[in-house]
Amino acid sequence: MDASAKNSMIPFYAGILSLKPEEKAVLLRRLGAKALRASDEEKFAFARAAIACGAVGMAAEAVQGIENVPELVTAFLEDSVALPDSGENGVLKISDCSSEMDPDPARIMVDGICSCCSAPVKLDILSPRIGRSGFLCPHCLAALEIDVDEIRPYLEEAFSSHMKELENRLRRRQLSSRDCVHLVQLADAVSPWLLVRFGVMRSERIGHFALNTEKYLSERAAGITNPDTFDFLGDNHPVSNRFMSRMWQRVVRYSPVASVIAPMLAPDSPYNTEKDLRGNNGRDEHMLFHRAAPELSFTEREKEMALNELERMGIGQDAQYICLNVRDGAYLKSHLKHRDWSYHDFRDSDIETYEDVALALAEKGMFVLRMGAKTSSRFEVDHPRIIDYSNLYRSEFMDVFLCATCKFMISTGTGIDGIAFIFRRPVLYVNYAQAGAVVDWEPRSVTMFKRFFWKDSGRELSLKELFSCGVSRVGHKEELDVLGVALKDNSPYELKMAGLEMNDLVEMDFKVPLTDVQREANTIVRPNGNMLGRLSGQYLQTVMLSPGSDNLKSSGKVDL
């Protein structure tokens, strides 16, 4: 075909790949009838367009009886089931892209130029392809790929706009199961160029809401997980802290539609964020938190609001404060009523035993704020710098701000300490009952376990026994009964000394080397050496009386 004839055919076939299936069928029949009466060159041009549309039978009919059929066309006609490789590969250089994402019709149209023949091509990338991501040029039958970097911005904009429309339907209670299925089908269709995923943040539990989401973002930033996925995240319900939800919405691609879609997907679906967002209970196993800045930050207006609240509580702008967080089970019983949480009761402790540590720290000029969204009893201590914030001033906004800006937190491991961690605040764990879940990934964490005793003899377990007999893995109080082990809370004196020890460590920015006994204890807690935190020196001094021994022994019998 000479150049003029070829150019005359270009407008005729340029957009044939963009047609809907029924439109292709009608047009090909019409063009086929015309091609049978046309010149050989036009028949060859039609054959190429028909092959590009998968209509190999029409192409064969168009060139039937013609001698010297181009080798390229002949190669495709030899196999009417699977299109063979044309032998020529090129790139579709995109000039424009538009989308219609609703089911009828669902189209993502791409206009571009074939890098092999320079002819204009218009195609719908949701139409059938060669392999996962290839298309045939209807002019030269070159196998065309679309550059990921070129098409990605168009696809991101298309999915973002479509999600907004689905959110409107969800608000109007018009979101259908067909909409949801179609959305996942769209995600599958564009996956060669953009991996769209859907997930649900663990917002029903404040600790997981904080730690799991921070872990998800920090691992993406570090390249441990794929940073190029285009993720939409929603909340789980009930939301434990609505202000934190608003903060996360500033740094993730938030959509309530994701909360509907994600539960429909299998946990291992490539379009589900389950593994990245909900895995490993939020533990910073790659130890990233202390090496990077927090993902969240407060606006200037929020900082001003917080200063006003602090002033209302009698706390000056430059005052230091410590958050005291003691688990008593009241929160779960009121917040997640559908489940019996009593199996966690072995993690509780009595708030009254914390009076001495609160007074000791208050006497050093710091405020001590008793935290908690819901508590079983008040914390009434006669000191102007000890405040029962939970019962007098508590708000979801200040929960986050106080934990994010405190000098350090004292916690029994109840979830809200996760906020302190994601804002890189030090945490002292006391009365810690689940020894195997010790925070090993944060160098500014200090832990004091509850004390464990054999019921039959009254002898206290050594640290080695604690980690060798299964007690460290206990998650239910009934498991302790099976093992024949009883618990005893840290005494008021132990709590006070651990609190003062923590204050000293913070004052010295943790530039205090571990003692020999702390190093030995860390090798017992984490034999693989993966232990950045430390056990309280007070705990090891009062409970493990043989610091130079191979076996950190117990202090002997006590009355239970």
Side-chain angles (χ1 to χ4, degrees):
M1 180 184 295
D2 60 32
S4 61
K6 177 180 178 182
N7 290 335
S8 69
M9 300 306 299
I10 285 175
F12 206 58
Y13 297 118
I16 198 166
L17 295 183
S18 69
L19 300 176
K20 301 177 187 176
E22 60 272 20
E23 293 172 338
K24 286 180 185 176
V26 172
L27 185 59
L28 286 172
R29 281 196 297 270
R30 291 176 180 174
L31 295 181
K34 181 179 179 180
L36 292 176
R37 301 188 299 271
S39 66
D40 288 352
E41 289 78 5
E42 289 177 315
K43 290 179 181 179
F44 298 150
F46 169 77
R48 286 194 294 271
I51 290 170
C53 293
V56 179
M58 286 188 174
E61 184 178 358
V63 298
Q64 185 176 6
I66 299 178
E67 296 182 1
N68 301 319
V69 175
E71 183 179 348
L72 189 61
V73 174
T74 304
F76 279 97
L77 298 181
E78 288 177 352
D79 189 340
S80 61
V81 178
L83 294 177
D85 187 352
S86 67
E88 192 170 5
N89 295 286
V91 176
L92 183 66
K93 300 176 181 178
I94 298 176
S95 58
D96 193 18
C97 182
S98 61
S99 63
E100 301 170 67
M101 303 284 276
D102 281 335
D104 299 314
R107 311 176 76 188
I108 300 179
M109 310 303 304
V110 175
D111 289 282
I113 302 295
C114 173
S115 65
C116 295
C117 67
S118 300
V121 176
K122 186 179 184 70
L123 58 87
D124 177 4
I125 67 169
L126 300 183
S127 64
R129 303 188 282 261
I130 303 172
R132 293 190 69 242
S133 58
F135 301 88
L136 282 180
C137 173
H139 310 288
C140 66
L141 294 187
L144 300 179
E145 292 286 343
I146 299 177
D147 184 86
V148 172
D149 293 333
E150 283 191 16
I151 197 171
R152 183 182 176 103
Y154 293 108
L155 295 180
E156 289 180 353
E157 182 179 358
F159 267 88
S160 296
S161 298
H162 188 54
M163 290 294 282
K164 293 296 182 186
E165 174 56 32
L166 295 181
E167 288 167 21
N168 291 333
R169 295 180 199 176
L170 180 62
R171 280 191 289 271
R172 298 192 300 264
R173 298 186 178 182
Q174 295 174 347
L175 186 70
S176 68
S177 58
R178 182 173 181 240
D179 291 328
C180 298
V181 171
H182 179 65
L183 181 60
V184 178
Q185 291 172 337
L186 287 173
D188 181 67
V190 304
S191 60
W193 307 283
L194 180 68
L195 182 55
V196 181
R197 304 193 306 173
F198 310 94
V200 181
M201 293 179 284
R202 296 192 64 180
S203 48
E204 78 282 4
R205 301 287 297 275
I206 187 64
H208 292 302
F209 199 13
L211 290 169
N212 286 63
T213 315
E214 180 81 2
K215 173 179 181 286
Y216 158 83
L217 290 171
S218 63
E219 289 185 356
R220 285 171 67 87
I224 292 171
T225 56
N226 185 357
D228 295 326
T229 59
F230 198 65
D231 294 354
F232 293 93
L233 304 182
D235 284 325
N236 206 356
H237 294 279
V239 177
S240 56
N241 188 295
R242 287 164 292 183
F243 175 71
M244 173 156 280
S245 178
R246 290 197 294 273
M247 292 190 83
W248 283 130
Q249 289 177 38
R250 300 200 288 246
V251 296
V252 303
R253 194 170 294 103
Y254 178 81
S255 174
V257 174
S259 301
V260 180
I261 302 297
M264 300 172 57
L265 302 171
D268 58 350
S269 167
Y271 315 116
N272 195 342
T273 66
E274 174 81 16
K275 182 177 179 181
D276 292 353
L277 187 60
R278 300 175 73 86
N280 203 31
N281 283 329
R283 294 179 65 80
D284 183 21
E285 58 188 343
H286 297 288
M287 302 179 180
L288 300 172
F289 289 5
H290 69 281
R291 291 184 281 172
E295 296 288 342
L296 295 181
S297 60
F298 297 95
T299 65
E300 291 304 316
R301 181 175 178 274
E302 289 164 353
K303 292 175 184 177
E304 184 178 347
M305 290 169 50
L307 289 177
N308 291 336
E309 279 298 296
L310 289 172
E311 183 178 356
R312 187 169 74 92
M313 294 163 58
I315 301 176
Q317 181 173 345
D318 297 324
Q320 293 181 324
Y321 42 87
I322 292 163
C323 294
L324 175 62
N325 175 39
V326 178
R327 188 189 192 281
D328 61 16
Y331 172 74
L332 289 179
K333 292 174 183 175
S334 63
H335 181 65
L336 298 172
K337 300 178 181 179
H338 63 283
R339 183 173 175 182
D340 179 10
W341 296 97
S342 61
Y343 70 90
H344 267 314
D345 288 351
F346 72 100
R347 297 167 57 193
D348 295 350
S349 58
D350 185 354
I351 186 62
E352 292 184 2
T353 62
Y354 293 82
E355 181 174 340
D356 287 355
V357 64
L359 285 168
L361 295 170
E363 286 300 314
K364 285 184 170 290
M366 293 166 283
F367 286 83
V368 179
L369 308 177
R370 192 273 185 94
M371 308 297 291
K374 188 81 173 177
T375 58
S376 298
S377 60
R378 290 181 175 272
F379 189 50
E380 297 175 340
V381 181
D382 187 17
H383 195 289
R385 286 192 292 273
I386 298 177
I387 300 173
D388 191 5
Y389 160 82
S390 174
N391 292 291
L392 297 176
Y393 300 103
R394 191 256 166 182
S395 69
E396 292 187 351
F397 165 63
M398 287 303 289
D399 280 355
V400 178
F401 186 85
L402 291 172
C403 292
T405 56
C406 62
K407 183 177 184 180
F408 65 90
M409 173 177 277
I410 301 175
S411 177
T412 56
T414 67
I416 196 172
D417 47 64
I419 303 176
F421 272 124
I422 69 170
F423 282 97
R424 315 308 191 247
R425 308 314 305 150
V427 177
L428 167 64
Y429 283 107
V430 296
N431 277 314
Y432 203 67
Q434 294 178 295
V438 64
V439 177
D440 53 11
W441 36 266
E442 172 53 57
R444 297 199 301 168
S445 71
V446 180
T447 304
M448 181 163 69
F449 299 135
K450 285 195 177 191
R451 298 172 71 170
F452 297 80
F453 300 87
W454 296 113
K455 285 184 177 180
D456 57 356
S457 65
R459 181 175 64 82
E460 186 168 7
L461 277 70
S462 70
L463 193 61
K464 282 190 174 180
E465 287 176 315
L466 182 60
F467 281 86
S468 63
C469 72
V471 175
S472 63
R473 297 186 295 275
V474 164
H476 295 65
K477 62 181 181 181
E478 291 78 9
E479 296 175 73
L480 289 170
D481 295 333
V482 172
L483 291 170
V485 172
L487 289 177
K488 186 176 181 180
D489 288 354
N490 303 138
S491 70
Y493 174 79
E494 290 168 345
L495 293 171
K496 181 181 75 170
M497 298 307 294
L500 293 173
E501 175 191 1
M502 183 67 171
N503 186 62
D504 289 342
L505 287 170
V506 174
E507 292 280 352
M508 292 181 280
D509 196 25
F510 282 79
K511 293 176 181 176
V512 179
L514 274 64
T515 64
D516 290 343
V517 71
Q518 284 176 320
R519 281 194 293 271
E520 188 175 357
N522 278 4
T523 63
I524 295 174
V525 176
R526 291 289 183 265
N528 59 7
N530 198 23
M531 178 76 180
L532 293 187
R534 67 177 78 191
L535 297 190
S536 164
Q538 169 62 31
Y539 171 75
L540 294 175
Q541 180 182 354
T542 57
V543 178
M544 310 303 173
L545 296 181
S546 301
S549 70
D550 295 335
N551 178 20
L552 293 177
K553 296 178 180 178
S554 73
S555 56
K557 296 184 180 180
V558 298
D559 294 328
L560 297 179

mmCIF file of all heavy atoms in Angstrom, residues 326-328 345-354 412 430-431 450 489:
data_model
loop_
_atom_site.group_PDB
_atom_site.id
_atom_site.type_symbol
_atom_site.label_atom_id
_atom_site.label_comp_id
_atom_site.label_asym_id
_atom_site.label_seq_id
_atom_site.Cartn_x
_atom_site.Cartn_y
_atom_site.Cartn_z
ATOM 1 N N VAL A 326 -3.914 3.071 83.528
ATOM 2 C CA VAL A 326 -4.032 1.818 84.277
ATOM 3 C C VAL A 326 -5.276 1.068 83.816
ATOM 4 O O VAL A 326 -6.396 1.578 83.908
ATOM 5 C CB VAL A 326 -4.109 2.095 85.796
ATOM 6 C CG1 VAL A 326 -4.280 0.791 86.565
ATOM 7 C CG2 VAL A 326 -2.855 2.825 86.260
ATOM 8 N N ARG A 327 -5.065 -0.139 83.340
ATOM 9 C CA ARG A 327 -6.174 -0.931 82.818
ATOM 10 C C ARG A 327 -7.051 -1.461 83.945
ATOM 11 O O ARG A 327 -6.555 -1.996 84.931
ATOM 12 C CB ARG A 327 -5.637 -2.119 82.005
ATOM 13 C CG ARG A 327 -6.704 -2.886 81.261
ATOM 14 C CD ARG A 327 -6.150 -4.164 80.649
ATOM 15 N NE ARG A 327 -7.090 -4.750 79.726
ATOM 16 C CZ ARG A 327 -8.163 -5.476 80.089
ATOM 17 N NH1 ARG A 327 -8.389 -5.696 81.363
ATOM 18 N NH2 ARG A 327 -8.979 -5.974 79.180
ATOM 19 N N ASP A 328 -8.394 -1.304 83.762
ATOM 20 C CA ASP A 328 -9.313 -1.921 84.724
ATOM 21 C C ASP A 328 -10.486 -2.623 84.044
ATOM 22 O O ASP A 328 -11.379 -3.128 84.704
ATOM 23 C CB ASP A 328 -9.827 -0.894 85.738
ATOM 24 C CG ASP A 328 -10.609 0.250 85.093
ATOM 25 O OD1 ASP A 328 -11.019 0.116 83.917
ATOM 26 O OD2 ASP A 328 -10.799 1.282 85.772
ATOM 27 N N ASP A 345 -8.956 -10.093 82.313
ATOM 28 C CA ASP A 345 -8.926 -9.450 83.624
ATOM 29 C C ASP A 345 -7.586 -9.605 84.345
ATOM 30 O O ASP A 345 -7.252 -8.786 85.210
ATOM 31 C CB ASP A 345 -10.054 -10.007 84.519
ATOM 32 C CG ASP A 345 -11.428 -9.525 84.065
ATOM 33 O OD1 ASP A 345 -11.478 -8.637 83.188
ATOM 34 O OD2 ASP A 345 -12.448 -10.046 84.569
ATOM 35 N N PHE A 346 -6.824 -10.635 84.015
ATOM 36 C CA PHE A 346 -5.532 -10.821 84.691
ATOM 37 C C PHE A 346 -4.560 -9.685 84.383
ATOM 38 O O PHE A 346 -3.528 -9.542 85.043
ATOM 39 C CB PHE A 346 -4.923 -12.178 84.314
ATOM 40 C CG PHE A 346 -4.392 -12.267 82.904
ATOM 41 C CD1 PHE A 346 -3.035 -12.144 82.649
ATOM 42 C CD2 PHE A 346 -5.247 -12.495 81.826
ATOM 43 C CE1 PHE A 346 -2.528 -12.243 81.356
ATOM 44 C CE2 PHE A 346 -4.756 -12.594 80.541
ATOM 45 C CZ PHE A 346 -3.399 -12.467 80.296
ATOM 46 N N ARG A 347 -4.905 -8.847 83.397
ATOM 47 C CA ARG A 347 -4.053 -7.700 83.055
ATOM 48 C C ARG A 347 -4.405 -6.457 83.867
ATOM 49 O O ARG A 347 -3.699 -5.455 83.805
ATOM 50 C CB ARG A 347 -4.195 -7.393 81.558
ATOM 51 C CG ARG A 347 -3.721 -8.515 80.652
ATOM 52 C CD ARG A 347 -4.162 -8.287 79.218
ATOM 53 N NE ARG A 347 -3.686 -7.022 78.699
ATOM 54 C CZ ARG A 347 -4.137 -6.468 77.564
ATOM 55 N NH1 ARG A 347 -5.077 -7.091 76.851
ATOM 56 N NH2 ARG A 347 -3.658 -5.309 77.158
ATOM 57 N N ASP A 348 -5.492 -6.504 84.633
ATOM 58 C CA ASP A 348 -5.946 -5.339 85.393
ATOM 59 C C ASP A 348 -5.052 -5.097 86.608
ATOM 60 O O ASP A 348 -4.332 -6.001 87.064
ATOM 61 C CB ASP A 348 -7.387 -5.524 85.875
ATOM 62 C CG ASP A 348 -8.382 -5.592 84.716
ATOM 63 O OD1 ASP A 348 -7.974 -5.315 83.572
ATOM 64 O OD2 ASP A 348 -9.558 -5.932 84.976
ATOM 65 N N SER A 349 -5.123 -3.892 87.143
ATOM 66 C CA SER A 349 -4.492 -3.589 88.430
ATOM 67 C C SER A 349 -5.268 -2.466 89.101
ATOM 68 O O SER A 349 -6.086 -1.788 88.463
ATOM 69 C CB SER A 349 -3.011 -3.229 88.268
ATOM 70 O OG SER A 349 -2.839 -2.129 87.398
ATOM 71 N N ASP A 350 -5.020 -2.256 90.387
ATOM 72 C CA ASP A 350 -5.774 -1.322 91.214
ATOM 73 C C ASP A 350 -5.165 0.074 91.120
ATOM 74 O O ASP A 350 -3.996 0.282 91.457
ATOM 75 C CB ASP A 350 -5.771 -1.814 92.664
ATOM 76 C CG ASP A 350 -6.643 -0.973 93.571
ATOM 77 O OD1 ASP A 350 -7.171 0.064 93.117
ATOM 78 O OD2 ASP A 350 -6.789 -1.356 94.749
ATOM 79 N N ILE A 351 -5.938 1.057 90.703
ATOM 80 C CA ILE A 351 -5.441 2.420 90.541
ATOM 81 C C ILE A 351 -4.912 2.991 91.852
ATOM 82 O O ILE A 351 -3.987 3.829 91.852
ATOM 83 C CB ILE A 351 -6.550 3.323 89.942
ATOM 84 C CG1 ILE A 351 -6.007 4.726 89.634
ATOM 85 C CG2 ILE A 351 -7.741 3.404 90.861
ATOM 86 C CD1 ILE A 351 -4.916 4.764 88.620
ATOM 87 N N GLU A 352 -5.456 2.554 92.984
ATOM 88 C CA GLU A 352 -5.026 3.111 94.274
ATOM 89 C C GLU A 352 -3.558 2.799 94.576
ATOM 90 O O GLU A 352 -2.897 3.541 95.301
ATOM 91 C CB GLU A 352 -5.916 2.583 95.398
ATOM 92 C CG GLU A 352 -7.351 3.100 95.329
ATOM 93 C CD GLU A 352 -8.182 2.650 96.513
ATOM 94 O OE1 GLU A 352 -7.617 1.973 97.409
ATOM 95 O OE2 GLU A 352 -9.389 2.965 96.542
ATOM 96 N N THR A 353 -3.036 1.714 94.011
ATOM 97 C CA THR A 353 -1.633 1.365 94.272
ATOM 98 C C THR A 353 -0.660 2.286 93.542
ATOM 99 O O THR A 353 0.552 2.192 93.753
ATOM 100 C CB THR A 353 -1.352 -0.097 93.860
ATOM 101 O OG1 THR A 353 -1.576 -0.245 92.453
ATOM 102 C CG2 THR A 353 -2.256 -1.056 94.613
ATOM 103 N N TYR A 354 -1.174 3.183 92.709
ATOM 104 C CA TYR A 354 -0.325 4.104 91.948
ATOM 105 C C TYR A 354 -0.222 5.474 92.620
ATOM 106 O O TYR A 354 0.397 6.387 92.073
ATOM 107 C CB TYR A 354 -0.877 4.260 90.523
ATOM 108 C CG TYR A 354 -0.767 2.999 89.703
ATOM 109 C CD1 TYR A 354 -1.725 1.986 89.828
ATOM 110 C CD2 TYR A 354 0.292 2.787 88.829
ATOM 111 C CE1 TYR A 354 -1.628 0.819 89.101
ATOM 112 C CE2 TYR A 354 0.395 1.623 88.089
ATOM 113 C CZ TYR A 354 -0.570 0.636 88.235
ATOM 114 O OH TYR A 354 -0.463 -0.520 87.519
ATOM 115 N N THR A 412 -0.039 0.138 81.798
ATOM 116 C CA THR A 412 -0.092 -1.301 82.039
ATOM 117 C C THR A 412 -0.303 -2.068 80.737
ATOM 118 O O THR A 412 -0.529 -3.268 80.758
ATOM 119 C CB THR A 412 -1.209 -1.643 83.040
ATOM 120 O OG1 THR A 412 -2.451 -1.132 82.544
ATOM 121 C CG2 THR A 412 -0.928 -1.023 84.402
ATOM 122 N N VAL A 430 4.309 -1.094 83.493
ATOM 123 C CA VAL A 430 4.302 -1.686 84.822
ATOM 124 C C VAL A 430 3.135 -2.663 84.919
ATOM 125 O O VAL A 430 2.199 -2.609 84.115
ATOM 126 C CB VAL A 430 4.189 -0.605 85.921
ATOM 127 C CG1 VAL A 430 5.403 0.309 85.918
ATOM 128 C CG2 VAL A 430 2.908 0.226 85.742
ATOM 129 N N ASN A 431 3.221 -3.563 85.900
ATOM 130 C CA ASN A 431 2.187 -4.593 86.043
ATOM 131 C C ASN A 431 1.890 -5.258 84.698
ATOM 132 O O ASN A 431 0.741 -5.541 84.358
ATOM 133 C CB ASN A 431 0.902 -4.001 86.634
ATOM 134 C CG ASN A 431 0.971 -3.918 88.145
ATOM 135 O OD1 ASN A 431 1.382 -4.876 88.815
ATOM 136 N ND2 ASN A 431 0.578 -2.780 88.699
ATOM 137 N N LYS A 450 4.419 -8.070 86.000
ATOM 138 C CA LYS A 450 3.807 -8.555 87.230
ATOM 139 C C LYS A 450 4.671 -9.699 87.759
ATOM 140 O O LYS A 450 5.537 -10.224 87.057
ATOM 141 C CB LYS A 450 2.380 -9.044 86.962
ATOM 142 C CG LYS A 450 1.361 -7.935 86.758
ATOM 143 C CD LYS A 450 -0.068 -8.457 86.851
ATOM 144 C CE LYS A 450 -1.062 -7.324 86.721
ATOM 145 N NZ LYS A 450 -2.440 -7.729 87.072
ATOM 146 N N ASP A 489 0.401 -8.277 91.768
ATOM 147 C CA ASP A 489 0.713 -6.960 91.225
ATOM 148 C C ASP A 489 1.986 -6.399 91.836
ATOM 149 O O ASP A 489 2.400 -6.773 92.931
ATOM 150 C CB ASP A 489 -0.437 -5.989 91.498
ATOM 151 C CG ASP A 489 -1.658 -6.269 90.637
ATOM 152 O OD1 ASP A 489 -1.572 -7.142 89.761
ATOM 153 O OD2 ASP A 489 -2.701 -5.611 90.844
#
